[in-house]
Every structure is written in structure tokens, then in C-alpha cells.
Amino acid sequence: MHRTVTGIILSLLLVSPLAFSQSNGISLELIAETKDKSLLSQVVSADLITKPEDRLRIYIADVFTPAVLILEKQENDLVVINQLGRDGKGPGEFVEINALQIMPDNNLMTYDRNLGRVTVFNLEMEKMEYTFSLRSASFPMNFYAAGVQQPIFYARAEPYFSDSDATDMKRTIQMQKYDAEGNLLNDSVLVKPSNDAFIFQDRGSMAVNPEPVWGNKSIFRFYREYIYYAWGDNSSVEVYSANGEKLPSISLNLPRLPITNDDRKRALDFEAFMMDKRKRTIKDEFLKKMPDDYWPWLQDFFVDDKERFWIGMPHHLKENTRNWRIHDMKGNFIDEVTLPANFTVHQIKKNYIVGELFNFKRFRSSVQLYKIHE
């Protein structure tokens, strides 16, 4: 499972769209993006696959589109060439797609939480392969495809909230395991504390922001037969087998970024905007939950197909770039690259990074594709 990957320590800065960032180590090149700014509202999930003749395609789930959009790279543009599924509640139809993923067998998994249903598409034929509904008391928020030998699915589930719940209640994440018929095989593969969401109550009403701006959240990634788990307030990655057996953790030895007063003000303004509440109304509760001195250790992470960790680091909110550190499976630092701060990474594999730039004021996304050069 583990192997050492070497590199040269060097920070990279992307200075303009479609600019090549050159170094003696790892560098990134923005090679394509969506030109149609009205195409996407907010990308929920994205994955990519390289077809024969190097025809690279990206599969997109958008918050307001009840279908999978297929984007193809045409020169430096990402163009919609087809879609999978349509609006509805029948087989191959969607209300809202909450997750999608290229499976180990190269089929495409989609998950509609509203319908409690998983639909798998054959990408070569571009048609539905099979579908199943979850046989569970509740429909989880996130869904993941795993299992190399046979399809196995994992879901991230959390308890429901009510108006009577306290803002400081102890919440847990339960990682569930399903087979390809929707049967719940294990209700608690992993059980972890969850303080991701900022929960605010005011005169009987409640608002929840699932990913608060300060970024102290739990992250699960699946690679081959392993589950990787990171918590923003810890500088290591926990490793588990597919059945939840604890394996040795990987220490990343990350630097930690201090919080400034400017960070606090900007975070407070942003949180108030996201939760549609006045700043003075949520100020006290928000500041109680913010760390006193430092941002969390990490903001996001991925495992690429070369068995490396890509760690998205926190940044001061006035900055327009975010550093991504690359580590091997032993935790050794390899290199560092820079991406726009408002760029959300959705997938890193096959020497590509796909993600979105999200405009909060317009509520519009632009998908960008980067090439990794080594």
C-alpha cells in the first residue's frame, strides 16, 4: 500500500488563466474551463475519465440540474456534449443529484438523497446499468463507491436535528456500508465526532451551515480498499480497512496558520451572508466556535492514483490563493503548489485536477481543469 515518492520543495504561483507554472518539481497548468458562465449554478460533485484517443470527459452534478452533465475538453474549453438521466422519479431519473463518482469498474455512480436511490451508468454505452433504493431508516447526506472486486458503497450519515437540540450538542458521523442491492451491511463502520456544521438557533428557528468558513470539518476519502479520515483540528490522517479496522495513522507535520482579526471579521461577515442572518444576531455563537489562535491544520485533502496526499491548507481570508501540499504515504513532504483560494477541488487523478470557481454573489460556477506536470 505504501510507497515513497520524492520531489523538490518549491512553491508555485498561478499568475493568470491558462498560464503554465514551471519549476523543477511539480507544477500545474490550467488547460481548460467552461466558457458558458450560465451553464452551472453550483457544482455538488465532479469526476473525470480519459477516453481512448485522450478524449478527456468530466461528469458534473449541479445543484439545480436533475441530470449528469457530460463535459468534454475541446481545446481550452469544456463543452457539454450530453447528459445522463433527466428530471423525474422513475428509473434513470433524478430530483437532485447529491454525489457522483467514477467507480473502480469505470461505471458512474450517482446518488439522489431525495429519492434515497443510487443509479449506476455504463459510461461506454452511456445508459443506465442498474439502480437500487436504500433499505435504511434514513437517507445519508454523502455516498461513496468502493470495492475493487465487487461494488461496495459507503455513506456518511448523521443524526437528524430538531428545534429543541442545543447548539453545543454532541453529534456523531456514522459511516455505513451497503451492498449493490441497497442492503445495509454495517450501520457503524466508523463512528466519529462531528462538529462540522455551524448551528444557530434564534427564537425557535434553526439554521445550519454544513461547512463553516473556518473549515474545521471531517473529511473521508476512499482509495482502493482503504478509508482515509482527516479532521481539520488534527495534523494527521487516520487509516482504516474497508471493515473499519484501525491501521497506523499518518503524521503530516503540517505548518499551522495563525488567525488574524481581519480573518475573524471576514469569516463573520461571510457566515452571516451564508446563513441569511444579521451579523450581530449570530456574532456571539459564531465567535464561541471559532478557534482562538489558529486556523485548523488543514482545509481539505485527496488521495491521488499515485498514492500521494494532496493537502489543501487554510489561508488568510484576504488572500486570493491557497497552498496545496503534497505528501507521500509515509507523511513525507514532497512539494507544494498554489491554486486560487475560491477554487474547490473535486477530484485529483490521472495527472489532472478538476474543480470549480464559485461566485457567491451570482451563484454561478465555472469548472476548471488543471494538468499536473512532474
Side-chain angles (χ1 to χ4, degrees):
M1 164 184 159
H2 300 292
R3 73 180 183 188
T4 301
V5 185
T6 59
I8 298 175
I9 302 175
L10 188 63
S11 296
L12 306 170
L13 179 63
L14 296 176
V15 295
S16 64
L18 298 176
F20 179 65
S21 183
Q22 179 69 53
S23 79
N24 293 322
I26 298 174
S27 62
L28 303 180
E29 179 188 5
L30 177 56
I31 60 173
E33 60 183 322
T34 50
K35 306 299 184 184
D36 184 356
K37 302 303 180 184
S38 64
L39 177 63
L40 301 167
S41 297
Q42 185 177 15
V43 175
V44 176
S45 187
D47 208 339
L48 73 159
I49 192 169
T50 301
K51 294 273 188 176
E53 295 86 38
D54 200 35
R55 293 176 59 191
L56 196 149
R57 292 184 176 180
I58 299 174
Y59 299 85
I60 298 291
D62 183 71
V63 67
F64 290 140
T65 305
V68 177
L69 297 177
I70 305 176
L71 278 61
E72 186 171 85
K73 181 182 179 304
Q74 297 180 5
E75 296 183 347
N76 63 355
D77 194 5
L78 296 174
V79 180
V80 175
I81 60 169
N82 201 356
Q83 72 176 45
L84 300 174
R86 60 183 181 181
D87 188 11
K89 297 184 179 181
E93 299 177 339
F94 302 100
V95 174
E96 179 183 346
I97 301 175
N98 302 97
L100 62 74
Q101 180 188 340
I102 306 294
M103 298 168 59
D105 59 8
N106 284 329
N107 285 330
L108 177 72
M109 180 215 74
T110 61
Y111 172 61
D112 187 322
R113 182 175 182 268
N114 190 289
L115 299 175
R117 189 167 67 195
V118 172
T119 304
V120 176
F121 290 93
N122 182 314
L123 293 183
E124 185 176 351
M125 304 295 294
E126 292 191 346
K127 67 177 185 179
M128 189 182 76
E129 187 78 6
Y130 60 90
T131 183
F132 61 85
S133 297
L134 303 186
R135 296 181 175 90
S136 174
S138 61
F139 299 150
M141 291 296 297
N142 303 105
F143 222 76
Y144 312 90
V148 176
Q149 301 301 324
Q150 59 182 351
I152 292 292
F153 302 92
Y154 292 85
R156 169 186 168 137
E158 298 186 39
Y160 285 107
F161 301 104
S162 68
D163 288 345
S164 62
D165 291 332
T167 57
D168 60 350
M169 65 176 289
K170 292 184 178 180
R171 301 164 52 223
T172 59
I173 304 168
Q174 296 176 337
M175 189 57 62
Q176 302 172 337
K177 185 177 181 180
Y178 292 84
D179 65 15
E181 295 180 352
N183 298 306
L184 181 60
L185 303 178
N186 190 333
D187 189 44
S188 54
V189 177
L190 296 177
V191 178
K192 292 291 182 181
S194 173
N195 296 312
D196 306 45
F198 174 64
I199 307 170
F200 172 73
Q201 293 176 291
D202 181 35
R203 293 185 291 274
S205 64
M206 181 177 64
V208 178
N209 183 7
E211 293 189 1
V213 67
W214 65 88
N216 197 9
K217 60 180 180 178
S218 56
I219 308 164
F220 293 91
R221 300 296 177 201
F222 293 80
Y223 182 70
R224 293 183 177 172
E225 298 297 323
Y226 298 95
I227 305 171
Y228 297 93
Y229 167 79
W231 173 246
D233 209 25
N234 197 313
S235 63
S236 64
V237 174
E238 296 180 10
V239 186
Y240 296 85
S241 71
N243 294 319
E245 177 188 3
K246 182 74 168 64
L247 302 173
S249 297
I250 300 171
S251 178
L252 298 173
N253 192 27
L254 301 173
R256 202 169 190 189
L257 190 68
I259 285 182
T260 66
N261 289 333
D262 185 65
D263 290 333
R264 292 179 179 277
K265 180 182 183 303
R266 290 171 182 265
L268 185 61
D269 290 342
F270 182 83
E271 203 69 29
F273 168 76
M274 287 296 292
M275 300 183 70
D276 196 27
K277 296 284 184 179
R278 294 180 181 178
K279 182 168 64 176
R280 65 174 180 268
T281 308
I282 70 168
K283 180 176 180 179
D284 290 340
E285 287 294 333
F286 182 86
L287 293 180
K288 286 178 185 177
K289 290 181 176 290
M290 282 195 73
D292 292 332
D293 301 313
Y294 290 90
W295 287 105
W297 289 98
L298 56 85
Q299 178 73 19
D300 203 352
F301 89 97
F302 287 83
V303 184
D304 70 12
D305 49 5
K306 296 183 180 180
E307 298 183 358
R308 300 176 298 192
F309 293 116
W310 291 68
I311 311 296
M313 302 297 294
H315 67 287
H316 295 303
L317 296 180
K318 66 180 180 180
E319 297 174 351
N320 58 9
T321 59
R322 181 192 303 280
N323 290 335
W324 283 79
R325 291 169 60 94
I326 303 130
H327 292 246
D328 65 21
M329 282 289 179
K330 295 181 179 180
N332 299 313
F333 176 77
I334 299 172
D335 210 336
E336 188 172 79
V337 296
T338 304
L339 285 166
N342 61 337
F343 180 77
T344 300
V345 175
H346 283 285
Q347 185 60 272
I348 302 177
K349 70 179 184 183
K350 303 295 184 185
N351 290 323
Y352 294 101
I353 298 176
V354 63
E356 65 166 329
L357 284 176
F358 182 60
N359 187 317
F360 285 97
K361 292 183 179 180
R362 295 185 176 183
F363 209 82
R364 289 291 176 186
S365 287
S366 174
V367 176
Q368 293 188 334
L369 178 67
Y370 287 83
K371 181 70 179 291
I372 302 170
H373 297 277
E374 301 185 48

